[in-house]
PDB file of all heavy atoms in Angstrom:
ATOM      1  N   PHE J 132       0.878  -1.176   0.000  1.00 94.00           N
ATOM      2  CA  PHE J 132       0.000   0.000   0.000  1.00 94.00           C
ATOM      3  C   PHE J 132       0.912   1.221   0.000  1.00 94.00           C
ATOM      4  O   PHE J 132       1.466   1.594   1.033  1.00 94.00           O
ATOM      5  CB  PHE J 132      -0.886  -0.036   1.242  1.00 94.00           C
ATOM      6  CG  PHE J 132      -1.975   1.004   1.279  1.00 94.00           C
ATOM      7  CD1 PHE J 132      -2.260   1.802   0.190  1.00 94.00           C
ATOM      8  CD2 PHE J 132      -2.736   1.176   2.426  1.00 94.00           C
ATOM      9  CE1 PHE J 132      -3.267   2.747   0.230  1.00 94.00           C
ATOM     10  CE2 PHE J 132      -3.746   2.117   2.492  1.00 94.00           C
ATOM     11  CZ  PHE J 132      -4.011   2.898   1.385  1.00 94.00           C
ATOM     12  N   GLN J 133       1.073   1.853  -1.160  1.00 92.00           N
ATOM     13  CA  GLN J 133       2.091   2.879  -1.290  1.00 92.00           C
ATOM     14  C   GLN J 133       1.739   3.878  -2.393  1.00 92.00           C
ATOM     15  O   GLN J 133       0.706   3.759  -3.048  1.00 92.00           O
ATOM     16  CB  GLN J 133       3.436   2.230  -1.619  1.00 92.00           C
ATOM     17  CG  GLN J 133       3.404   1.442  -2.926  1.00 92.00           C
ATOM     18  CD  GLN J 133       4.629   0.571  -3.121  1.00 92.00           C
ATOM     19  OE1 GLN J 133       5.436   0.389  -2.235  1.00 92.00           O
ATOM     20  NE2 GLN J 133       4.770   0.007  -4.318  1.00 92.00           N
ATOM     21  N   VAL J 134       2.632   4.837  -2.593  1.00 91.00           N
ATOM     22  CA  VAL J 134       2.423   5.876  -3.596  1.00 91.00           C
ATOM     23  C   VAL J 134       2.754   5.339  -4.977  1.00 91.00           C
ATOM     24  O   VAL J 134       3.745   4.633  -5.162  1.00 91.00           O
ATOM     25  CB  VAL J 134       3.297   7.111  -3.287  1.00 91.00           C
ATOM     26  CG1 VAL J 134       3.153   8.166  -4.382  1.00 91.00           C
ATOM     27  CG2 VAL J 134       2.928   7.699  -1.940  1.00 91.00           C
ATOM     28  N   ASP J 135       1.905   5.677  -5.930  1.00 89.00           N
ATOM     29  CA  ASP J 135       2.225   5.429  -7.334  1.00 89.00           C
ATOM     30  C   ASP J 135       3.127   6.580  -7.769  1.00 89.00           C
ATOM     31  O   ASP J 135       2.671   7.603  -8.270  1.00 89.00           O
ATOM     32  CB  ASP J 135       0.939   5.385  -8.164  1.00 89.00           C
ATOM     33  CG  ASP J 135       1.205   5.061  -9.629  1.00 89.00           C
ATOM     34  OD1 ASP J 135       2.386   4.988 -10.010  1.00 89.00           O
ATOM     35  OD2 ASP J 135       0.237   4.900 -10.383  1.00 89.00           O
ATOM     36  N   PHE J 136       4.424   6.390  -7.556  1.00 89.00           N
ATOM     37  CA  PHE J 136       5.359   7.503  -7.729  1.00 89.00           C
ATOM     38  C   PHE J 136       5.380   8.017  -9.163  1.00 89.00           C
ATOM     39  O   PHE J 136       5.493   9.232  -9.388  1.00 89.00           O
ATOM     40  CB  PHE J 136       6.775   7.074  -7.323  1.00 89.00           C
ATOM     41  CG  PHE J 136       7.779   8.186  -7.426  1.00 89.00           C
ATOM     42  CD1 PHE J 136       7.844   9.189  -6.464  1.00 89.00           C
ATOM     43  CD2 PHE J 136       8.651   8.245  -8.503  1.00 89.00           C
ATOM     44  CE1 PHE J 136       8.756  10.223  -6.577  1.00 89.00           C
ATOM     45  CE2 PHE J 136       9.581   9.274  -8.617  1.00 89.00           C
ATOM     46  CZ  PHE J 136       9.631  10.267  -7.648  1.00 89.00           C
ATOM     47  N   ASP J 137       5.269   7.132 -10.143  1.00 88.00           N
ATOM     48  CA  ASP J 137       5.299   7.577 -11.541  1.00 88.00           C
ATOM     49  C   ASP J 137       4.150   8.531 -11.835  1.00 88.00           C
ATOM     50  O   ASP J 137       4.339   9.585 -12.462  1.00 88.00           O
ATOM     51  CB  ASP J 137       5.236   6.372 -12.479  1.00 88.00           C
ATOM     52  CG  ASP J 137       6.501   5.531 -12.424  1.00 88.00           C
ATOM     53  OD1 ASP J 137       7.549   6.089 -12.032  1.00 88.00           O
ATOM     54  OD2 ASP J 137       6.447   4.342 -12.755  1.00 88.00           O
ATOM     55  N   ALA J 138       2.934   8.174 -11.387  1.00 89.00           N
ATOM     56  CA  ALA J 138       1.771   9.037 -11.621  1.00 89.00           C
ATOM     57  C   ALA J 138       1.900  10.347 -10.844  1.00 89.00           C
ATOM     58  O   ALA J 138       1.572  11.427 -11.352  1.00 89.00           O
ATOM     59  CB  ALA J 138       0.489   8.302 -11.220  1.00 89.00           C
ATOM     60  N   TRP J 139       2.387  10.224  -9.602  1.00 90.00           N
ATOM     61  CA  TRP J 139       2.536  11.435  -8.785  1.00 90.00           C
ATOM     62  C   TRP J 139       3.582  12.376  -9.389  1.00 90.00           C
ATOM     63  O   TRP J 139       3.378  13.586  -9.466  1.00 90.00           O
ATOM     64  CB  TRP J 139       2.953  11.050  -7.361  1.00 90.00           C
ATOM     65  CG  TRP J 139       3.150  12.238  -6.455  1.00 90.00           C
ATOM     66  CD1 TRP J 139       2.182  12.869  -5.722  1.00 90.00           C
ATOM     67  CD2 TRP J 139       4.368  12.942  -6.209  1.00 90.00           C
ATOM     68  NE1 TRP J 139       2.731  13.923  -5.031  1.00 90.00           N
ATOM     69  CE2 TRP J 139       4.070  13.998  -5.309  1.00 90.00           C
ATOM     70  CE3 TRP J 139       5.676  12.801  -6.642  1.00 90.00           C
ATOM     71  CZ2 TRP J 139       5.035  14.882  -4.849  1.00 90.00           C
ATOM     72  CZ3 TRP J 139       6.640  13.680  -6.195  1.00 90.00           C
ATOM     73  CH2 TRP J 139       6.319  14.707  -5.310  1.00 90.00           C
ATOM     74  N   TYR J 140       4.694  11.837  -9.834  1.00 89.00           N
ATOM     75  CA  TYR J 140       5.763  12.668 -10.392  1.00 89.00           C
ATOM     76  C   TYR J 140       5.329  13.314 -11.707  1.00 89.00           C
ATOM     77  O   TYR J 140       5.684  14.471 -11.989  1.00 89.00           O
ATOM     78  CB  TYR J 140       7.015  11.829 -10.620  1.00 89.00           C
ATOM     79  CG  TYR J 140       8.211  12.626 -11.073  1.00 89.00           C
ATOM     80  CD1 TYR J 140       8.875  13.482 -10.192  1.00 89.00           C
ATOM     81  CD2 TYR J 140       8.669  12.550 -12.388  1.00 89.00           C
ATOM     82  CE1 TYR J 140       9.969  14.227 -10.603  1.00 89.00           C
ATOM     83  CE2 TYR J 140       9.763  13.302 -12.806  1.00 89.00           C
ATOM     84  CZ  TYR J 140      10.404  14.139 -11.907  1.00 89.00           C
ATOM     85  OH  TYR J 140      11.470  14.886 -12.325  1.00 89.00           O
ATOM     86  N   GLU J 141       4.555  12.596 -12.491  1.00 90.00           N
ATOM     87  CA  GLU J 141       4.051  13.174 -13.743  1.00 90.00           C
ATOM     88  C   GLU J 141       3.170  14.393 -13.458  1.00 90.00           C
ATOM     89  O   GLU J 141       3.266  15.412 -14.137  1.00 90.00           O
ATOM     90  CB  GLU J 141       3.260  12.115 -14.508  1.00 90.00           C
ATOM     91  CG  GLU J 141       2.727  12.595 -15.843  1.00 90.00           C
ATOM     92  CD  GLU J 141       1.953  11.519 -16.588  1.00 90.00           C
ATOM     93  OE1 GLU J 141       1.961  10.364 -16.125  1.00 90.00           O
ATOM     94  OE2 GLU J 141       1.348  11.846 -17.625  1.00 90.00           O
ATOM     95  N   LYS J 142       2.319  14.274 -12.439  1.00 90.00           N
ATOM     96  CA  LYS J 142       1.475  15.406 -12.048  1.00 90.00           C
ATOM     97  C   LYS J 142       2.319  16.531 -11.462  1.00 90.00           C
ATOM     98  O   LYS J 142       2.081  17.720 -11.739  1.00 90.00           O
ATOM     99  CB  LYS J 142       0.444  14.930 -11.020  1.00 90.00           C
ATOM    100  CG  LYS J 142      -0.469  16.029 -10.491  1.00 90.00           C
ATOM    101  CD  LYS J 142      -1.390  16.560 -11.572  1.00 90.00           C
ATOM    102  CE  LYS J 142      -2.392  17.555 -10.996  1.00 90.00           C
ATOM    103  NZ  LYS J 142      -3.277  18.114 -12.037  1.00 90.00           N
ATOM    104  N   TYR J 143       3.314  16.157 -10.675  1.00 89.00           N
ATOM    105  CA  TYR J 143       4.186  17.148 -10.045  1.00 89.00           C
ATOM    106  C   TYR J 143       4.895  18.004 -11.095  1.00 89.00           C
ATOM    107  O   TYR J 143       5.015  19.222 -10.945  1.00 89.00           O
ATOM    108  CB  TYR J 143       5.208  16.423  -9.160  1.00 89.00           C
ATOM    109  CG  TYR J 143       6.263  17.309  -8.554  1.00 89.00           C
ATOM    110  CD1 TYR J 143       6.004  18.059  -7.404  1.00 89.00           C
ATOM    111  CD2 TYR J 143       7.535  17.396  -9.125  1.00 89.00           C
ATOM    112  CE1 TYR J 143       6.975  18.874  -6.846  1.00 89.00           C
ATOM    113  CE2 TYR J 143       8.524  18.196  -8.579  1.00 89.00           C
ATOM    114  CZ  TYR J 143       8.230  18.939  -7.436  1.00 89.00           C
ATOM    115  OH  TYR J 143       9.203  19.753  -6.889  1.00 89.00           O
ATOM    116  N   MET J 144       5.356  17.374 -12.161  1.00 90.00           N
ATOM    117  CA  MET J 144       6.075  18.104 -13.199  1.00 90.00           C
ATOM    118  C   MET J 144       5.171  19.034 -13.988  1.00 90.00           C
ATOM    119  O   MET J 144       5.647  19.960 -14.661  1.00 90.00           O
ATOM    120  CB  MET J 144       6.765  17.120 -14.153  1.00 90.00           C
ATOM    121  CG  MET J 144       7.875  16.302 -13.502  1.00 90.00           C
ATOM    122  SD  MET J 144       9.164  17.337 -12.747  1.00 90.00           S
ATOM    123  CE  MET J 144       9.853  18.124 -14.204  1.00 90.00           C
ATOM    124  N   GLN J 145       3.876  18.843 -13.911  1.00 90.00           N
ATOM    125  CA  GLN J 145       2.940  19.725 -14.609  1.00 90.00           C
ATOM    126  C   GLN J 145       2.641  20.999 -13.820  1.00 90.00           C
ATOM    127  O   GLN J 145       2.078  21.945 -14.364  1.00 90.00           O
ATOM    128  CB  GLN J 145       1.633  18.984 -14.889  1.00 90.00           C
ATOM    129  CG  GLN J 145       1.785  17.796 -15.827  1.00 90.00           C
ATOM    130  CD  GLN J 145       0.508  16.993 -15.943  1.00 90.00           C
ATOM    131  OE1 GLN J 145      -0.525  17.320 -15.336  1.00 90.00           O
ATOM    132  NE2 GLN J 145       0.549  15.918 -16.737  1.00 90.00           N
ATOM    133  N   LEU J 146       3.016  21.002 -12.536  1.00 89.00           N
ATOM    134  CA  LEU J 146       2.727  22.150 -11.679  1.00 89.00           C
ATOM    135  C   LEU J 146       3.905  23.111 -11.651  1.00 89.00           C
ATOM    136  O   LEU J 146       5.029  22.753 -11.992  1.00 89.00           O
ATOM    137  CB  LEU J 146       2.404  21.668 -10.252  1.00 89.00           C
ATOM    138  CG  LEU J 146       1.254  20.656 -10.122  1.00 89.00           C
ATOM    139  CD1 LEU J 146       1.113  20.217  -8.678  1.00 89.00           C
ATOM    140  CD2 LEU J 146      -0.050  21.259 -10.630  1.00 89.00           C
ATOM    141  N   GLU J 147       3.625  24.318 -11.197  1.00 86.00           N
ATOM    142  CA  GLU J 147       4.668  25.339 -11.101  1.00 86.00           C
ATOM    143  C   GLU J 147       4.472  26.151  -9.820  1.00 86.00           C
ATOM    144  O   GLU J 147       3.373  26.221  -9.271  1.00 86.00           O
ATOM    145  CB  GLU J 147       4.622  26.269 -12.316  1.00 86.00           C
ATOM    146  CG  GLU J 147       4.933  25.587 -13.638  1.00 86.00           C
ATOM    147  CD  GLU J 147       4.881  26.560 -14.806  1.00 86.00           C
ATOM    148  OE1 GLU J 147       4.525  27.746 -14.577  1.00 86.00           O
ATOM    149  OE2 GLU J 147       5.178  26.144 -15.952  1.00 86.00           O
ATOM    150  N   GLY J 148       5.555  26.775  -9.389  1.00 83.00           N
ATOM    151  CA  GLY J 148       5.498  27.723  -8.269  1.00 83.00           C
ATOM    152  C   GLY J 148       4.971  27.124  -6.994  1.00 83.00           C
ATOM    153  O   GLY J 148       5.372  26.032  -6.563  1.00 83.00           O
ATOM    154  N   ASP J 149       4.036  27.847  -6.354  1.00 82.00           N
ATOM    155  CA  ASP J 149       3.484  27.424  -5.066  1.00 82.00           C
ATOM    156  C   ASP J 149       2.718  26.108  -5.170  1.00 82.00           C
ATOM    157  O   ASP J 149       2.686  25.325  -4.220  1.00 82.00           O
ATOM    158  CB  ASP J 149       2.570  28.520  -4.504  1.00 82.00           C
ATOM    159  CG  ASP J 149       3.346  29.764  -4.089  1.00 82.00           C
ATOM    160  OD1 ASP J 149       4.570  29.633  -3.865  1.00 82.00           O
ATOM    161  OD2 ASP J 149       2.743  30.850  -4.016  1.00 82.00           O
ATOM    162  N   GLU J 150       2.076  25.873  -6.330  1.00 86.00           N
ATOM    163  CA  GLU J 150       1.338  24.620  -6.490  1.00 86.00           C
ATOM    164  C   GLU J 150       2.282  23.429  -6.379  1.00 86.00           C
ATOM    165  O   GLU J 150       1.960  22.433  -5.724  1.00 86.00           O
ATOM    166  CB  GLU J 150       0.637  24.596  -7.848  1.00 86.00           C
ATOM    167  CG  GLU J 150      -0.610  25.456  -7.911  1.00 86.00           C
ATOM    168  CD  GLU J 150      -1.342  25.280  -9.225  1.00 86.00           C
ATOM    169  OE1 GLU J 150      -0.664  25.100 -10.263  1.00 86.00           O
ATOM    170  OE2 GLU J 150      -2.584  25.311  -9.215  1.00 86.00           O
ATOM    171  N   ARG J 151       3.434  23.534  -7.008  1.00 84.00           N
ATOM    172  CA  ARG J 151       4.403  22.450  -6.923  1.00 84.00           C
ATOM    173  C   ARG J 151       4.947  22.304  -5.500  1.00 84.00           C
ATOM    174  O   ARG J 151       5.140  21.192  -5.005  1.00 84.00           O
ATOM    175  CB  ARG J 151       5.554  22.685  -7.906  1.00 84.00           C
ATOM    176  CG  ARG J 151       6.650  21.644  -7.797  1.00 84.00           C
ATOM    177  CD  ARG J 151       7.764  21.885  -8.789  1.00 84.00           C
ATOM    178  NE  ARG J 151       7.366  21.570 -10.152  1.00 84.00           N
ATOM    179  CZ  ARG J 151       8.210  21.498 -11.177  1.00 84.00           C
ATOM    180  NH1 ARG J 151       9.514  21.733 -10.977  1.00 84.00           N
ATOM    181  NH2 ARG J 151       7.785  21.203 -12.392  1.00 84.00           N
ATOM    182  N   LYS J 152       5.182  23.435  -4.845  1.00 81.00           N
ATOM    183  CA  LYS J 152       5.727  23.413  -3.490  1.00 81.00           C
ATOM    184  C   LYS J 152       4.769  22.739  -2.517  1.00 81.00           C
ATOM    185  O   LYS J 152       5.189  22.032  -1.593  1.00 81.00           O
ATOM    186  CB  LYS J 152       6.033  24.846  -3.040  1.00 81.00           C
ATOM    187  CG  LYS J 152       6.657  24.940  -1.664  1.00 81.00           C
ATOM    188  CD  LYS J 152       6.948  26.383  -1.301  1.00 81.00           C
ATOM    189  CE  LYS J 152       7.562  26.495   0.094  1.00 81.00           C
ATOM    190  NZ  LYS J 152       7.829  27.907   0.461  1.00 81.00           N
ATOM    191  N   ASN J 153       3.470  22.963  -2.704  1.00 82.00           N
ATOM    192  CA  ASN J 153       2.463  22.422  -1.785  1.00 82.00           C
ATOM    193  C   ASN J 153       1.954  21.044  -2.201  1.00 82.00           C
ATOM    194  O   ASN J 153       1.127  20.461  -1.513  1.00 82.00           O
ATOM    195  CB  ASN J 153       1.281  23.386  -1.687  1.00 82.00           C
ATOM    196  CG  ASN J 153       1.683  24.734  -1.100  1.00 82.00           C
ATOM    197  OD1 ASN J 153       2.548  24.806  -0.222  1.00 82.00           O
ATOM    198  ND2 ASN J 153       1.071  25.809  -1.586  1.00 82.00           N
ATOM    199  N   PHE J 154       2.426  20.558  -3.339  1.00 87.00           N
ATOM    200  CA  PHE J 154       1.960  19.270  -3.837  1.00 87.00           C
ATOM    201  C   PHE J 154       2.797  18.152  -3.208  1.00 87.00           C
ATOM    202  O   PHE J 154       3.804  17.716  -3.746  1.00 87.00           O
ATOM    203  CB  PHE J 154       2.052  19.233  -5.366  1.00 87.00           C
ATOM    204  CG  PHE J 154       1.437  18.008  -5.982  1.00 87.00           C
ATOM    205  CD1 PHE J 154       0.077  17.771  -5.900  1.00 87.00           C
ATOM    206  CD2 PHE J 154       2.233  17.079  -6.650  1.00 87.00           C
ATOM    207  CE1 PHE J 154      -0.484  16.647  -6.474  1.00 87.00           C
ATOM    208  CE2 PHE J 154       1.682  15.949  -7.226  1.00 87.00           C
ATOM    209  CZ  PHE J 154       0.313  15.736  -7.139  1.00 87.00           C
ATOM    210  N   THR J 155       2.393  17.718  -2.047  1.00 86.00           N
ATOM    211  CA  THR J 155       3.149  16.706  -1.305  1.00 86.00           C
ATOM    212  C   THR J 155       2.673  15.303  -1.660  1.00 86.00           C
ATOM    213  O   THR J 155       1.542  15.098  -2.119  1.00 86.00           O
ATOM    214  CB  THR J 155       2.999  16.912   0.210  1.00 86.00           C
ATOM    215  OG1 THR J 155       1.598  16.858   0.553  1.00 86.00           O
ATOM    216  CG2 THR J 155       3.573  18.258   0.622  1.00 86.00           C
ATOM    217  N   SER J 156       3.531  14.358  -1.429  1.00 86.00           N
ATOM    218  CA  SER J 156       3.210  12.963  -1.714  1.00 86.00           C
ATOM    219  C   SER J 156       2.223  12.429  -0.672  1.00 86.00           C
ATOM    220  O   SER J 156       2.437  12.613   0.529  1.00 86.00           O
ATOM    221  CB  SER J 156       4.492  12.132  -1.695  1.00 86.00           C
ATOM    222  OG  SER J 156       4.201  10.776  -1.899  1.00 86.00           O
ATOM    223  N   PRO J 157       1.134  11.784  -1.077  1.00 90.00           N
ATOM    224  CA  PRO J 157       0.145  11.275  -0.116  1.00 90.00           C
ATOM    225  C   PRO J 157       0.680  10.071   0.650  1.00 90.00           C
ATOM    226  O   PRO J 157       1.637   9.410   0.219  1.00 90.00           O
ATOM    227  CB  PRO J 157      -1.042  10.887  -0.993  1.00 90.00           C
ATOM    228  CG  PRO J 157      -0.421  10.544  -2.310  1.00 90.00           C
ATOM    229  CD  PRO J 157       0.751  11.479  -2.469  1.00 90.00           C
ATOM    230  N   LYS J 158       0.046   9.780   1.766  1.00 92.00           N
ATOM    231  CA  LYS J 158       0.409   8.630   2.587  1.00 92.00           C
ATOM    232  C   LYS J 158      -0.844   7.826   2.916  1.00 92.00           C
ATOM    233  O   LYS J 158      -1.949   8.378   2.947  1.00 92.00           O
ATOM    234  CB  LYS J 158       1.098   9.079   3.884  1.00 92.00           C
ATOM    235  CG  LYS J 158       2.436   9.793   3.668  1.00 92.00           C
ATOM    236  CD  LYS J 158       3.054  10.190   4.989  1.00 92.00           C
ATOM    237  CE  LYS J 158       4.409  10.872   4.783  1.00 92.00           C
ATOM    238  NZ  LYS J 158       5.034  11.250   6.064  1.00 92.00           N
ATOM    239  N   PRO J 159      -0.697   6.535   3.160  1.00 93.00           N
ATOM    240  CA  PRO J 159      -1.857   5.728   3.530  1.00 93.00           C
ATOM    241  C   PRO J 159      -2.553   6.282   4.774  1.00 93.00           C
ATOM    242  O   PRO J 159      -1.896   6.644   5.745  1.00 93.00           O
ATOM    243  CB  PRO J 159      -1.250   4.341   3.808  1.00 93.00           C
ATOM    244  CG  PRO J 159       0.000   4.309   2.983  1.00 93.00           C
ATOM    245  CD  PRO J 159       0.529   5.713   3.014  1.00 93.00           C
ATOM    246  N   ASP J 160      -3.874   6.333   4.716  1.00 92.00           N
ATOM    247  CA  ASP J 160      -4.667   6.839   5.831  1.00 92.00           C
ATOM    248  C   ASP J 160      -4.549   5.881   7.030  1.00 92.00           C
ATOM    249  O   ASP J 160      -4.858   4.687   6.905  1.00 92.00           O
ATOM    250  CB  ASP J 160      -6.130   6.956   5.397  1.00 92.00           C
ATOM    251  CG  ASP J 160      -7.026   7.451   6.520  1.00 92.00           C
ATOM    252  OD1 ASP J 160      -6.514   8.078   7.458  1.00 92.00           O
ATOM    253  OD2 ASP J 160      -8.243   7.194   6.458  1.00 92.00           O
ATOM    254  N   PRO J 161      -4.095   6.371   8.187  1.00 93.00           N
ATOM    255  CA  PRO J 161      -3.928   5.484   9.352  1.00 93.00           C
ATOM    256  C   PRO J 161      -5.204   4.753   9.751  1.00 93.00           C
ATOM    257  O   PRO J 161      -5.146   3.580  10.160  1.00 93.00           O
ATOM    258  CB  PRO J 161      -3.465   6.445  10.463  1.00 93.00           C
ATOM    259  CG  PRO J 161      -2.800   7.566   9.729  1.00 93.00           C
ATOM    260  CD  PRO J 161      -3.594   7.730   8.470  1.00 93.00           C
ATOM    261  N   GLU J 162      -6.354   5.416   9.639  1.00 94.00           N
ATOM    262  CA  GLU J 162      -7.607   4.757  10.020  1.00 94.00           C
ATOM    263  C   GLU J 162      -7.899   3.585   9.080  1.00 94.00           C
ATOM    264  O   GLU J 162      -8.342   2.517   9.525  1.00 94.00           O
ATOM    265  CB  GLU J 162      -8.758   5.766   9.983  1.00 94.00           C
ATOM    266  CG  GLU J 162      -8.694   6.815  11.085  1.00 94.00           C
ATOM    267  CD  GLU J 162      -8.710   6.186  12.475  1.00 94.00           C
ATOM    268  OE1 GLU J 162      -9.469   5.210  12.683  1.00 94.00           O
ATOM    269  OE2 GLU J 162      -7.955   6.644  13.351  1.00 94.00           O
ATOM    270  N   LEU J 163      -7.660   3.784   7.789  1.00 94.00           N
ATOM    271  CA  LEU J 163      -7.873   2.706   6.830  1.00 94.00           C
ATOM    272  C   LEU J 163      -6.896   1.558   7.080  1.00 94.00           C
ATOM    273  O   LEU J 163      -7.274   0.390   7.024  1.00 94.00           O
ATOM    274  CB  LEU J 163      -7.713   3.236   5.405  1.00 94.00           C
ATOM    275  CG  LEU J 163      -7.809   2.195   4.278  1.00 94.00           C
ATOM    276  CD1 LEU J 163      -9.164   1.505   4.310  1.00 94.00           C
ATOM    277  CD2 LEU J 163      -7.560   2.846   2.919  1.00 94.00           C
ATOM    278  N   VAL J 164      -5.657   1.898   7.374  1.00 94.00           N
ATOM    279  CA  VAL J 164      -4.650   0.859   7.630  1.00 94.00           C
ATOM    280  C   VAL J 164      -5.043   0.032   8.850  1.00 94.00           C
ATOM    281  O   VAL J 164      -4.896  -1.194   8.853  1.00 94.00           O
ATOM    282  CB  VAL J 164      -3.256   1.487   7.823  1.00 94.00           C
ATOM    283  CG1 VAL J 164      -2.240   0.422   8.232  1.00 94.00           C
ATOM    284  CG2 VAL J 164      -2.792   2.177   6.549  1.00 94.00           C
ATOM    285  N   ARG J 165      -5.559   0.676   9.877  1.00 94.00           N
ATOM    286  CA  ARG J 165      -5.970  -0.064  11.083  1.00 94.00           C
ATOM    287  C   ARG J 165      -7.113  -1.031  10.773  1.00 94.00           C
ATOM    288  O   ARG J 165      -7.168  -2.144  11.305  1.00 94.00           O
ATOM    289  CB  ARG J 165      -6.366   0.920  12.181  1.00 94.00           C
ATOM    290  CG  ARG J 165      -5.184   1.691  12.767  1.00 94.00           C
ATOM    291  CD  ARG J 165      -5.581   2.517  13.980  1.00 94.00           C
ATOM    292  NE  ARG J 165      -4.430   3.221  14.519  1.00 94.00           N
ATOM    293  CZ  ARG J 165      -4.098   4.468  14.197  1.00 94.00           C
ATOM    294  NH1 ARG J 165      -4.864   5.150  13.347  1.00 94.00           N
ATOM    295  NH2 ARG J 165      -3.033   5.038  14.725  1.00 94.00           N
ATOM    296  N   LYS J 166      -8.042  -0.610   9.910  1.00 94.00           N
ATOM    297  CA  LYS J 166      -9.122  -1.508   9.501  1.00 94.00           C
ATOM    298  C   LYS J 166      -8.562  -2.713   8.741  1.00 94.00           C
ATOM    299  O   LYS J 166      -9.000  -3.849   8.941  1.00 94.00           O
ATOM    300  CB  LYS J 166     -10.128  -0.753   8.620  1.00 94.00           C
ATOM    301  CG  LYS J 166     -10.972   0.266   9.348  1.00 94.00           C
ATOM    302  CD  LYS J 166     -11.947   0.935   8.392  1.00 94.00           C
ATOM    303  CE  LYS J 166     -12.786   1.987   9.109  1.00 94.00           C
ATOM    304  NZ  LYS J 166     -13.728   2.667   8.175  1.00 94.00           N
ATOM    305  N   MET J 167      -7.587  -2.447   7.895  1.00 95.00           N
ATOM    306  CA  MET J 167      -6.980  -3.532   7.128  1.00 95.00           C
ATOM    307  C   MET J 167      -6.220  -4.489   8.035  1.00 95.00           C
ATOM    308  O   MET J 167      -6.251  -5.712   7.841  1.00 95.00           O
ATOM    309  CB  MET J 167      -6.061  -2.943   6.060  1.00 95.00           C
ATOM    310  CG  MET J 167      -6.805  -2.092   5.025  1.00 95.00           C
ATOM    311  SD  MET J 167      -5.713  -1.092   3.990  1.00 95.00           S
ATOM    312  CE  MET J 167      -4.999  -2.354   2.940  1.00 95.00           C
ATOM    313  N   LEU J 168      -5.539  -3.971   9.028  1.00 94.00           N
ATOM    314  CA  LEU J 168      -4.800  -4.814   9.967  1.00 94.00           C
ATOM    315  C   LEU J 168      -5.728  -5.709  10.775  1.00 94.00           C
ATOM    316  O   LEU J 168      -5.360  -6.818  11.170  1.00 94.00           O
ATOM    317  CB  LEU J 168      -3.966  -3.946  10.908  1.00 94.00           C
ATOM    318  CG  LEU J 168      -2.732  -3.269  10.317  1.00 94.00           C
ATOM    319  CD1 LEU J 168      -2.146  -2.278  11.319  1.00 94.00           C
ATOM    320  CD2 LEU J 168      -1.689  -4.297   9.929  1.00 94.00           C
ATOM    321  N   ALA J 169      -6.940  -5.216  11.032  1.00 94.00           N
ATOM    322  CA  ALA J 169      -7.906  -5.999  11.815  1.00 94.00           C
ATOM    323  C   ALA J 169      -8.588  -7.080  10.990  1.00 94.00           C
ATOM    324  O   ALA J 169      -9.286  -7.930  11.540  1.00 94.00           O
ATOM    325  CB  ALA J 169      -8.959  -5.059  12.405  1.00 94.00           C
ATOM    326  N   ASP J 170      -8.384  -7.075   9.682  1.00 94.00           N
ATOM    327  CA  ASP J 170      -8.997  -8.058   8.798  1.00 94.00           C
ATOM    328  C   ASP J 170      -8.374  -9.437   9.058  1.00 94.00           C
ATOM    329  O   ASP J 170      -7.155  -9.573   9.163  1.00 94.00           O
ATOM    330  CB  ASP J 170      -8.787  -7.657   7.339  1.00 94.00           C
ATOM    331  CG  ASP J 170      -9.697  -8.412   6.384  1.00 94.00           C
ATOM    332  OD1 ASP J 170      -9.635  -9.655   6.375  1.00 94.00           O
ATOM    333  OD2 ASP J 170     -10.454  -7.761   5.650  1.00 94.00           O
ATOM    334  N   SER J 171      -9.220 -10.445   9.148  1.00 94.00           N
ATOM    335  CA  SER J 171      -8.739 -11.802   9.458  1.00 94.00           C
ATOM    336  C   SER J 171      -7.876 -12.384   8.344  1.00 94.00           C
ATOM    337  O   SER J 171      -7.155 -13.362   8.565  1.00 94.00           O
ATOM    338  CB  SER J 171      -9.936 -12.730   9.708  1.00 94.00           C
ATOM    339  OG  SER J 171     -10.774 -12.786   8.570  1.00 94.00           O
ATOM    340  N   ARG J 172      -7.931 -11.804   7.148  1.00 95.00           N
ATOM    341  CA  ARG J 172      -7.125 -12.310   6.034  1.00 95.00           C
ATOM    342  C   ARG J 172      -5.669 -11.871   6.122  1.00 95.00           C
ATOM    343  O   ARG J 172      -4.818 -12.399   5.404  1.00 95.00           O
ATOM    344  CB  ARG J 172      -7.727 -11.834   4.705  1.00 95.00           C
ATOM    345  CG  ARG J 172      -9.069 -12.456   4.385  1.00 95.00           C
ATOM    346  CD  ARG J 172      -9.733 -11.803   3.196  1.00 95.00           C
ATOM    347  NE  ARG J 172     -10.181 -10.447   3.502  1.00 95.00           N
ATOM    348  CZ  ARG J 172     -10.907  -9.694   2.688  1.00 95.00           C
ATOM    349  NH1 ARG J 172     -11.250 -10.160   1.500  1.00 95.00           N
ATOM    350  NH2 ARG J 172     -11.289  -8.479   3.041  1.00 95.00           N
TER     351      ARG J 172
END
């Protein structure tokens, strides 16, 4: 469960200035991860 870096970087290169500066890489939502960890599978 991770970042699709190729897609993220492609979008990043399309931005400029402050938009690029504020365009941070997303991270897995902790609440969702906890639900997944509780799954019996």
